[in-house]
Amino acid sequence: MSIAFLLCIVILLGLAVMGMPIAYAILVASFAYLAASGQSIGISGKILLDGLYQSFILLAVPLFIIAANIMNAGSVSDRLLQFCVALVGRFRGGLGHVNILSSLVFSGMSGSAIADAAGIGKMIIDMMVKSGHYTRGYAAAITAASATIGPIIPPSIPMVLYALVSNTSIGFLFLGGIVPGLMMGAMLMAMNAWISHRRGFAKHEPVPLREFPALTINAGPALMMPAILLYGIYGGVTTPTEAAAVAAFYALILATIFYRSLSFKHFYEILVTSARSSAAVGLIIGGALILNYIVASENIPTVVANALVDLDVHPLVFLLGINLLLLVLGCFLDASTIILVIIPLFIPTCRALGIDLVHFGVVAVVNCMIGLITPPYGILLFVINAVTRIPLAEIIREIWHFLAALLVALLLLILIPDITLMLPRALGYAG
């Protein structure tokens, strides 16, 4: 490990601690390394261009962001919410179940936890608080916890980023996330049911059965999006990137023609917002590409892999140790940074220990999503605080039960790889 690399790490950590956005901190630290090691700063341009030209799948990120923003902007979210209320609102703690179910449904359209929390999440929080049966903190906490499911059930922006750094099939990653996502939802529903009975939450007024067909038809076109995406990818009709374009176009058709809830002015605002979000992700990706070049130049992944293999670490012990590390890092770093900068260090070790990369990828993404609700950083907690003005202290006070439920789900995923791999293997995955 060279002095230039140590300088890079010190600058990166120092700038991050001082509060500089992580993308800028990575770029400044990377440029410092290139200068200290005697390399031209211009090489960073070549690294970026090579990375972009060789990673066509990255185009899926802005397309999924646009699809999610269109779904949030039109009346699609309202129709999905009405469908979920009719389905599970009648049970004790029903609006809590509605919250979780709506996240499960919306996850099949957005691929983003933040899009879930900021969009449909705000509506369900208002419904829960206005009902008079739930505290503001509880409504916000269950919304933050359920939003973590968004990037697990396909489509998934974090899984696209993981596929970029691991050279793993995005299609099999998407398939691998379906059962874990459903299991996370079941865990959260079980916790909500237990708390609801313990605190005596009232039931929501049942929706008459005669209204079910109309509500289902109303929400049906939106519910079709995950099926269209999965059929396109696994039926050989589209690549994952083309499927993202189909998702964005389908969302646009729903909002403008089918539901007629999106004006041209609003659509322009969506494009601007999506461009800003895509640029933010793009800066992190650009910095990560340069930093990964530096890490590879220093041969860090091979050194780490050889050191762990020489220690004769059992694959399960390795997985548990890495996930504990990712949980700690998730308290301070955002998911994109962990996936693009930290996880690539351990992929060679996974290969050497015989750990399936689809299993590792899904587990790592679930772990990163749990980090989104883990104090003190917990970006989803800040997002919900920003859109609802509910004090952060109230949200954190109620988040612990749901955090525990998600940690149990994560442990099961680590211990039982078949939970993740059953669907990919059923559709031809050889891992």
Side-chain angles (χ1 to χ4, degrees):
M1 188 180 297
S2 66
I3 295 176
F5 184 71
L6 290 176
L7 176 66
C8 174
I9 298 300
V10 169
I11 292 175
L12 173 58
L13 295 177
L15 292 177
V17 169
M18 290 168 60
M20 177 180 284
I22 192 68
Y24 298 142
I26 293 173
L27 288 170
V28 171
S30 299
F31 292 155
Y33 170 87
L34 294 174
S37 62
Q39 300 184 54
S40 170
I41 300 295
I43 197 173
S44 59
K46 179 182 182 301
I47 295 167
L48 288 175
L49 287 175
D50 287 346
L52 293 175
Y53 279 128
Q54 295 169 11
S55 305
F56 182 66
I57 198 171
L58 279 179
L59 187 57
V61 174
L63 291 171
F64 281 137
I65 289 174
I66 290 173
N69 287 339
I70 291 174
M71 285 291 190
N72 270 331
S75 63
V76 181
S77 299
D78 296 325
R79 297 166 195 273
L80 291 175
L81 194 55
Q82 292 168 8
F83 174 76
C84 294
V85 169
L87 208 58
V88 295
R90 64 188 66 237
F91 303 109
R92 186 173 297 280
L95 286 181
H97 292 315
V98 168
N99 196 322
I100 298 164
L101 183 62
S102 62
S103 290
L104 280 168
V105 172
F106 198 73
S107 66
M109 287 149 236
S110 69
S112 166
I114 294 175
D116 191 347
I120 204 168
K122 186 178 186 305
M123 289 186 285
I124 187 62
I125 288 173
D126 290 341
M127 284 178 62
M128 293 179 73
V129 173
K130 287 177 182 177
S131 72
H133 306 310
Y134 306 87
T135 64
R136 295 183 305 174
Y138 186 85
I142 195 172
T143 300
S146 64
T148 61
I149 302 172
I152 310 303
I153 295 177
S156 168
I157 293 173
M159 286 187 188
V160 172
L161 299 181
Y162 174 80
L164 168 70
V165 299
S166 66
N167 199 28
T168 308
S169 165
I170 185 64
F172 288 128
L173 281 169
F174 278 6
L175 269 182
I178 294 175
V179 175
L182 294 175
M183 186 177 75
M184 290 167 67
M187 288 285 187
L188 292 175
M189 281 187 167
M191 181 58 71
N192 176 62
W194 179 72
I195 295 174
S196 298
H197 281 85
R198 187 179 173 191
R199 299 186 185 180
F201 290 158
K203 299 180 181 179
H204 192 270
E205 185 177 341
V207 175
L209 290 176
R210 65 178 180 275
E211 296 183 15
F212 266 79
L215 290 171
T216 303
I217 292 172
N218 209 15
L223 295 171
M224 286 294 294
M225 183 185 281
I228 291 172
L229 286 177
L230 293 175
Y231 174 76
I233 294 172
Y234 302 111
V237 179
T238 64
T239 65
T241 305
E242 290 166 349
V246 170
F249 181 70
Y250 184 70
L252 182 61
I253 293 297
L254 281 186
T256 56
I257 298 177
F258 194 85
Y259 293 134
R260 298 183 180 179
S261 57
L262 188 64
S263 65
F264 181 80
K265 180 182 178 182
H266 208 170
F267 179 57
Y268 172 77
E269 293 171 355
I270 288 172
L271 293 179
V272 172
T273 302
S274 300
R276 287 172 178 162
S277 300
S278 300
V281 176
L283 277 173
I284 296 176
I285 292 173
L289 287 172
I290 301 172
L291 187 59
N292 287 341
Y293 162 80
I294 293 170
V295 169
S297 300
E298 295 287 331
N299 208 26
I300 301 299
T302 303
V303 172
V304 172
N306 290 338
L308 289 172
V309 171
D310 290 341
L311 289 174
D312 195 25
V313 177
H314 190 278
L316 180 58
V317 175
F318 171 78
L319 271 178
L320 289 171
I322 293 304
N323 275 276
L324 185 60
L325 173 64
L326 294 181
L327 283 172
V328 173
L329 292 175
C331 296
F332 307 98
L333 298 175
D334 65 274
S336 297
T337 303
I338 293 174
I339 292 170
L340 292 168
V341 177
I342 306 298
I343 287 177
L345 297 176
F346 303 111
I347 289 174
T349 309
C350 288
R351 291 194 177 102
L353 293 176
I355 296 171
D356 186 89
L357 289 185
V358 169
H359 175 229
F360 179 71
V362 172
V363 167
V365 171
V366 170
N367 195 313
C368 290
M369 294 308 103
I370 292 174
L372 295 179
I373 62 168
T374 306
Y377 184 67
I379 191 170
L380 277 179
L381 306 181
F382 293 118
V383 168
I384 290 177
N385 165 257
V387 299
T388 64
R389 302 301 179 189
I390 295 174
L392 203 57
E394 294 183 24
I395 304 175
I396 293 175
R397 193 181 305 126
E398 296 281 9
I399 199 65
W400 301 107
H401 288 99
F402 301 110
L403 187 57
L406 291 175
L407 288 174
V408 170
L410 175 65
L411 183 61
L412 289 174
L413 291 178
I414 295 170
L415 297 176
I416 311 173
D418 284 344
I419 295 175
T420 300
L421 297 176
M422 64 172 72
L423 275 183
R425 284 171 177 164
L427 289 176
Y429 179 60

